[in-house]
Amino acid sequence: MFRSPSRPPGAARSFTAPGAALLLCALAGPVPLSASPIAAPLDAETLVDAVLASNPGIDALRAGTEAAEARARAAGALPDPRLGITVAPAALDGFETGGGRHRDPTGAVELRQDLPWPGTLGLREAVSRAEARAGRDAEAALRLELAATARIRHAEWAYVHAALAVNERTASLVEALREVAEDRYAAGLASQQDPLQAEVEVQRLRAQALTLEGRRAGIRSALNALLDRDAEAVLPAPGALPTAGSTPPFDTLRALARSRHPDLHAMRQRVEAQQGRAALREKAFYPDLSITAGHNGYRPAEETRFTVGVGITLPLDRDRRRAELDAARAETARMRHALRDRESRLLAEVSAARAAAERARATVALVRDALLPRSRETLDAARSAYASGDGSFLDVITAERQLLNTELELERARADHAIARAELMRDTGGPLPAPEAAAEETTP
């Protein structure tokens, strides 16, 4: 009987609220305006390229990162200098000095430049640049997630097409069996039950085909949403799934995930940025400086009119600064723990996806090399026995159902293997190393 596809293997994903919102926007996209044609057959990597080229979520993150990089360039700049001009309104037409001398209109001018405590500007720029790098990593993480989703949907697209092909072949077989049963019943060599059983099996296969057609329509809609196309836009038939080869050892996959996964990179950059903020809180215990230069035309002596000076802030509220520093350090510790937690969960996902891939590979080999040939032999033997009058039609139908389930199990295992490898690519941060040479797989 038809077996519904299982949930894609691998551990469940978890997202923060902003990450989930970005992913939902990326998966949904705006209202599609057109349906660009896609070359047939639709293979997984062509689909991935099309999704990454058309999805607006990536463009949104890229623009945000460019904005963060622009802010980083400004973060290390000195504050603008201040220019002050002072005049005495009553002396705008000039004035008389105490010695009876007439003075022309004048005023006082002061230029001031604030200077943060040494190292503050560098820390501000480092914090901003770390946040910008985290933005780049977030963009890479979204690309990974979208690519994995595209590969998983492609595997389901391939499965449902293969299952419909199996259903069609089986329906043709059962139609032929029904004709044989009707001929034997007309000749008095079989009971009426035989053609009735064949008719029931024909209708059961038609019901199964309707279910598969509905699933195909749902997958098509999901793929078109990824491609930013109309939900009912035509999609080409899928290309063949990759051969179910072996996967690299867990130690290799673990090293890849730790070294290149953008989620971990982004969290490390955010930890670095938070460490910079804590260092800035330490700088807050020291005074900021200012230098001034001015000219006061109201002063009577020429020697005292030009002035220079230095000023400092007075960081008197040390309790407030200590509380802010403690909060920044606690936040740094929280982010480090979150990084370790994310790494542990990521490695668990890698392990689960690898186990699923190996399980699916073993299932493909078992079904293809052992179960499928035996199921075909069983059906051939049952048909021969029925034709010669030594077997029952129920044995033929049972063998036919066994072959149908075996063929569907093989296609399901192939799809599950492709899904598990897609999850491994997502969880390790990119393409997998070349697997060991695998036996050539032939499609029945």
Side-chain angles (χ1 to χ4, degrees):
M1 300 293 290
F2 172 68
R3 181 171 65 87
S4 298
S6 61
R7 181 181 62 83
R13 302 286 291 176
S14 61
F15 299 96
T16 61
L22 279 171
L23 180 59
L24 287 174
C25 291
L27 291 177
V31 176
L33 300 178
S34 63
S36 302
I38 298 178
L42 180 61
D43 64 83
E45 296 313 307
T46 298
L47 177 62
V48 168
D49 291 342
V51 167
L52 296 182
S54 62
N55 199 281
I58 295 174
D59 294 332
L61 278 180
R62 185 181 300 118
T65 301
E66 291 171 356
E69 290 173 344
R71 288 192 295 268
R73 293 195 300 271
L78 284 170
D80 291 334
R82 298 181 181 182
L83 176 64
I85 300 175
T86 304
V87 297
L92 291 179
D93 294 331
F95 62 96
E96 298 292 331
T97 66
R101 295 175 58 191
H102 180 77
R103 293 284 303 278
D104 293 330
T106 186
V109 178
E110 182 181 75
L111 183 65
R112 171 179 168 176
Q113 176 66 63
D114 292 329
L115 299 172
W117 187 261
T120 300
L121 293 178
L123 281 172
R124 289 175 183 170
E125 183 175 359
V127 168
S128 295
R129 292 198 180 279
E131 290 288 0
R133 289 193 296 271
R136 287 291 181 195
D137 291 326
E139 178 189 338
L142 179 59
R143 295 176 69 90
L144 266 184
E145 191 67 40
L146 288 171
T149 302
R151 292 186 180 102
I152 290 169
R153 297 272 167 80
H154 176 269
E156 295 293 350
W157 186 241
Y159 168 76
V160 75
H161 278 78
L164 280 167
V166 170
N167 176 278
E168 185 178 354
R169 288 199 304 270
T170 305
S172 298
L173 170 64
V174 174
E175 287 285 359
L177 292 175
R178 181 172 64 175
E179 293 178 2
V180 172
E182 288 174 347
D183 291 344
R184 289 179 59 81
Y185 173 64
L189 300 176
S191 67
Q192 187 180 13
Q193 183 180 1
D194 291 356
L196 290 176
Q197 284 181 333
E199 178 62 26
V200 168
E201 190 68 9
V202 167
Q203 299 306 320
R204 188 187 66 82
L205 287 168
R206 288 176 180 171
Q208 184 187 83
L210 290 174
T211 300
L212 289 170
E213 289 287 357
R215 181 164 295 134
R216 180 165 65 177
I219 297 170
R220 181 189 63 200
S221 297
L223 284 171
N224 279 322
L226 277 176
L227 292 165
D228 193 25
R229 290 157 43 105
D230 184 82
E232 296 189 0
V234 176
L235 283 173
L241 291 174
T243 298
S246 61
T247 55
F250 177 69
D251 288 345
T252 300
L253 299 174
R254 176 174 55 193
L256 287 173
R258 284 174 169 169
S259 64
R260 72 182 186 182
H261 198 283
D263 273 0
L264 300 184
H265 283 180
M267 295 184 76
R268 292 181 188 119
Q269 293 301 325
R270 293 190 178 104
V271 168
E272 181 180 332
Q274 184 58 32
Q275 288 174 323
R277 293 189 187 95
L280 284 171
R281 294 303 180 188
E282 294 177 359
K283 296 286 185 183
F285 285 89
Y286 300 96
D288 291 335
L289 310 175
S290 64
I291 57 174
T292 59
H295 184 275
N296 189 339
Y298 294 115
R299 291 183 177 179
E302 182 72 28
E303 294 82 359
T304 63
R305 291 175 185 170
F306 179 74
T307 61
V308 295
V310 177
I312 62 171
T313 60
L314 300 176
L316 299 178
D317 193 349
R318 298 182 69 82
D319 288 340
R320 175 177 63 81
R321 288 172 169 80
R322 172 60 62 185
E324 291 173 344
L325 176 59
D326 290 344
R329 287 174 173 172
E331 180 63 15
T332 302
R334 184 198 68 78
M335 295 176 72
R336 285 175 175 158
H337 291 312
L339 171 59
R340 287 196 293 270
D341 177 67
R342 178 69 183 103
E343 182 176 321
S344 297
R345 289 187 291 108
L346 181 65
L347 295 181
E349 291 166 4
V350 170
S351 177
R354 184 183 184 279
E358 286 298 288
R359 183 169 59 251
R361 182 177 71 90
T363 301
V364 167
L366 175 64
V367 174
R368 180 193 64 213
D369 300 334
L371 292 180
L372 189 57
R374 299 300 178 269
S375 297
R376 287 171 174 161
E377 291 170 2
T378 299
L379 178 58
D380 290 342
R383 293 178 69 180
S384 297
Y386 180 69
S388 64
D390 295 333
S392 69
F393 191 73
L394 180 60
D395 291 338
V396 178
I397 292 298
T398 300
E400 170 268 322
R401 290 177 180 174
Q402 183 181 43
L403 177 60
L404 171 65
N405 287 337
T406 302
E407 290 182 328
L408 289 175
E409 186 176 4
L410 176 59
E411 298 304 336
R412 183 69 255 170
R414 285 171 173 159
D416 285 347
H417 184 268
I419 289 170
R421 286 186 66 86
E423 292 180 338
L424 273 177
M425 293 173 69
R426 176 193 64 198
D427 296 337
T428 60
L432 302 179
E436 298 175 4
E440 186 68 22
E441 179 185 352
T442 57
T443 302

